[in-house]
Amino acid sequence: MKNIILNSWIEIKKTRPCLVISPDEMNHNIDTTIIAPMTTKSHAYPTRIKVKFDNKEGWIVLDQIRTVDKIRLVKQLGKISKKEISEVKKVLKEMLVD
């Protein structure tokens, strides 16, 4: 998860922002990727990371991670900060490992 990238992806006729959380090796070798959706409508919750992107405040929704076909990723929007990467990793570890 060295290079976490924000993308937009297609879900039910809408394009929504997401965060790619799968490792680079996986992203380069198979046709699917693991993403966390993003939203501007949420509230503080232990599995949601508050971020500011594209001049909007929003949330990375780690409690709704999913695997999608790479074809559904339509455009790279940017990257999150190192601090935000650390927070994502911390929450994922708490959710899935600890």
Side-chain angles (χ1 to χ4, degrees):
M1 204 165 42
K2 167 181 92 177
N3 225 356
I4 298 182
I5 299 171
L6 295 170
N7 283 285
S8 56
W9 65 296
I10 300 170
E11 180 182 21
I12 312 171
K13 299 184 181 181
K14 286 189 172 187
T15 303
R16 300 190 179 274
C18 68
L19 181 71
V20 173
I21 59 173
S22 49
D24 289 342
E25 182 177 338
M26 180 180 159
N27 296 335
H28 296 308
N29 291 296
I30 61 176
D31 293 331
T32 57
T33 190
I34 302 170
I35 59 137
M38 296 176 69
T39 185
T40 55
K41 296 179 177 153
S42 188
H43 52 42
Y45 192 73
T47 58
R48 299 186 178 195
I49 310 295
K50 193 171 192 173
V51 293
K52 186 167 184 171
F53 185 75
D54 203 23
N55 294 319
K56 295 179 187 172
E57 289 202 1
W59 302 84
I60 300 167
V61 187
L62 295 173
D63 51 278
Q64 292 185 22
I65 60 175
R66 60 196 75 179
T67 301
V68 297
D69 193 300
K70 282 192 232 177
I71 294 170
R72 294 174 66 190
L73 300 177
V74 294
K75 183 168 107 178
Q76 182 176 329
L77 302 174
K79 296 182 180 184
I80 61 174
S81 71
K82 288 182 180 185
K83 180 182 176 194
E84 291 162 335
I85 290 171
S86 294
E87 185 65 22
V88 167
K89 287 180 176 182
K90 176 182 166 223
V91 171
L92 286 172
K93 184 176 182 244
E94 289 173 2
M95 286 173 53
L96 303 172
V97 178
D98 292 343

